């Protein structure tokens, strides 16, 4: 789902621009890094922005082939654009896959740029 944020000066709903996210931290879980929330949150709350390098799919495929089975941290943004957090990215790259997720990736438009954010799901 795509969520459109207001641009600065038009309205006050600028959570991504103000980085109004839930407090989170990285912890070690079963030998791997994981991101956990440090405060209560409700469905729809912004947990964090997925940070990294914006690259085209062709470059991403090249990097993926070069890394083989190595660690790969990425999020698809739109069409042919991927956010690669492997080399340039925040701790949010340690969010883990789950078959029973409590969060979803959404795209937020801020100043004309699609930015991936993680939001808490209804089932959390």
């Amino acid at each position: 789902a795509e969520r459109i944020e207001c641009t600065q000066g038009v309205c006050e709903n600028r959570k991504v621009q103000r980085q109004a996210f839930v407090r989170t931290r990285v912890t070690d879980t079963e030998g791997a890094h994981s991101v956990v929330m440090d405060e209560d949150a409700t469905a729809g709350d912004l947990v964090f922005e997925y940070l990294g390098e914006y690259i085209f799919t062709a470059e991403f495929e090249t990097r993926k082939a070069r890394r083989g089975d190595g660690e790969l941290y990425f999020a698809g943004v739109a069409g042919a654009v991927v956010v690669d957090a492997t080399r340039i990215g925040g701790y949010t790259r340690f969010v883990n896959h789950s078959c029973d997720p409590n969060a979803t990736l959404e795209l937020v438009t801020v100043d004309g740029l699609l930015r991936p954010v993680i939001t808490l799901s209804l089932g959390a």
Side-chain angles (χ1 to χ4, degrees), residues 9 25 27 31 45 50 69 72 75 80 98 105 112 122 124:
R25 64 183 163 83
T27 186
D45 282 353
Y50 193 87
D69 290 335
L72 194 64
S98 173
L105 178 75
L122 290 173

Side-chain angles (χ1 to χ4, degrees), residues 27-39:
T27 186
D28 286 328
T29 305
E30 299 175 13
H33 295 307
S34 297
V35 178
V36 296
M37 294 187 304
D38 277 341
E39 65 183 331

Side-chain angles (χ1 to χ4, degrees), residues 40-60:
D40 292 335
T42 59
D45 282 353
L46 294 176
V47 181
F48 51 72
E49 180 175 2
Y50 193 87
L51 302 172
E53 181 181 8
Y54 284 69
I55 60 174
F56 289 108
T57 305
E59 173 63 18
F60 172 70

Side-chain angles (χ1 to χ4, degrees), residues 33-105:
H33 295 307
S34 297
V35 178
V36 296
M37 294 187 304
D38 277 341
E39 65 183 331
D40 292 335
T42 59
D45 282 353
L46 294 176
V47 181
F48 51 72
E49 180 175 2
Y50 193 87
L51 302 172
E53 181 181 8
Y54 284 69
I55 60 174
F56 289 108
T57 305
E59 173 63 18
F60 172 70
E61 293 298 330
T62 300
R63 291 179 184 187
K64 189 167 72 169
R66 194 170 42 231
R67 289 183 191 125
D69 290 335
E71 293 179 339
L72 194 64
Y73 303 100
F74 71 95
V77 176
V81 178
V82 172
V83 175
D84 183 352
T86 306
R87 290 183 282 168
I88 300 172
Y91 72 90
T92 57
R93 70 178 176 253
F94 297 123
V95 65
N96 290 324
H97 168 269
S98 173
C99 293
D100 187 21
N102 62 357
T104 57
L105 178 75

